[in-house]
Amino acid sequence: MTIRKILIEPDPFLRQVSHEVEKVDDEIRKLMDDMVETMYAAPGIGLAAIQVRVPKRIIVIDLSKDEKKEPLYFVNPKIIVKSKNNSTYEEGCLSVPGQFAEIDRPDQCHISYLDYNGQKKELKAEGLLATCIQHEMDHLEGILFIDYLSKLKKNFIVKKLSKQKKALERIVV
Ligand code: ZN
């Protein structure tokens, strides 16, 4: 397994719409293994393939708090139903490091997807898992959580991230 580089906003690549996966084969499983490894190393609780520069509709999530890892793999996830009630969580994102904001989202979602073995599955998620799935699914459409904030707040965050990125590049050079 390889830890891959996570793209940081602002990056036009993050704004692409990801493509459907035609077949869950060994190459896709290798990508999912790398994504999980990258997510654990970051550390984070969710990651979309586009964040490691692969525009495919794949997300991985692990909400387990103890030592035992319980990664969830979702290929081509689709929302079947979302609840009308919202819940609010403070969200962050590995592509928006160090920034957090309270975001409202439907508190339950019912999705269909392909699992690690390419089997068709359905899941009714609620609470943090529902929020996490919707956050990651937004990545597949090129949407980041900061897009839900006011223009002023969003611009402030993007400006800050641009400055941080420039500073990092200087150190690398
Ligand atoms: Zn994210």
Side-chain angles (χ1 to χ4, degrees):
M1 283 190 257
T2 317
I3 293 173
R4 304 199 186 194
K5 192 172 171 246
I6 297 174
L7 301 181
I8 304 293
E9 169 78 352
D11 188 320
F13 206 92
L14 286 169
R15 299 314 195 156
Q16 286 189 37
V17 175
S18 297
H19 309 293
E20 291 249 328
V21 173
E22 281 177 18
K23 189 168 178 271
V24 181
D25 54 15
D26 285 347
E27 195 189 318
I28 294 294
R29 273 187 283 274
K30 162 89 174 74
L31 169 63
M32 290 195 279
D33 291 344
D34 286 355
M35 284 170 65
V36 163
E37 197 71 6
T38 304
M39 174 179 76
Y40 290 147
I45 56 171
L47 189 72
I50 189 81
Q51 292 178 274
V52 292
R53 205 176 272 282
V54 181
K56 288 187 182 355
R57 303 185 79 82
I58 304 171
I59 63 181
V60 297
I61 292 172
D62 191 340
L63 300 180
S64 63
K65 287 206 179 77
D66 42 29
E67 293 281 288
K68 203 172 157 277
K69 307 270 187 239
E70 287 166 20
L72 300 170
Y73 306 88
F74 303 95
V75 179
N76 299 339
K78 288 186 187 74
I79 300 267
I80 300 170
V81 197
K82 277 186 199 179
S83 64
K84 290 198 177 73
N85 292 338
N86 281 354
S87 59
T88 309
Y89 279 96
E90 188 174 54
E91 294 188 23
C93 179
L94 292 176
S95 294
V96 188
Q99 303 298 321
F100 301 89
E102 290 200 331
I103 306 291
D104 278 349
R105 296 183 191 270
D107 65 356
Q108 291 176 12
C109 63
H110 181 183
I111 61 163
S112 67
Y113 62 98
L114 302 177
D115 70 5
Y116 190 81
N117 297 307
Q119 299 292 320
K120 210 166 178 234
K121 293 267 172 78
E122 286 188 17
L123 175 75
K124 283 180 181 162
E126 54 178 33
L128 180 60
L129 180 59
T131 288
C132 203
I133 286 172
Q134 292 172 71
H135 173 119
E136 298 310 329
M137 282 182 72
D138 272 354
H139 278 297
L140 308 183
E141 307 303 327
I143 298 167
L144 299 175
F145 79 93
I146 53 172
D147 298 349
Y148 296 109
L149 304 176
S150 70
K151 220 173 164 187
L152 194 74
K153 259 190 197 162
K154 183 181 160 180
N155 286 345
F156 178 76
I157 289 174
V158 173
K159 234 185 206 169
K160 218 165 162 182
L161 291 171
S162 306
K163 269 189 202 156
Q164 280 171 10
K165 268 177 98 171
K166 275 189 195 132
L168 277 175
E169 278 156 20
R170 271 202 297 273
I171 292 162
V172 173
V173 171

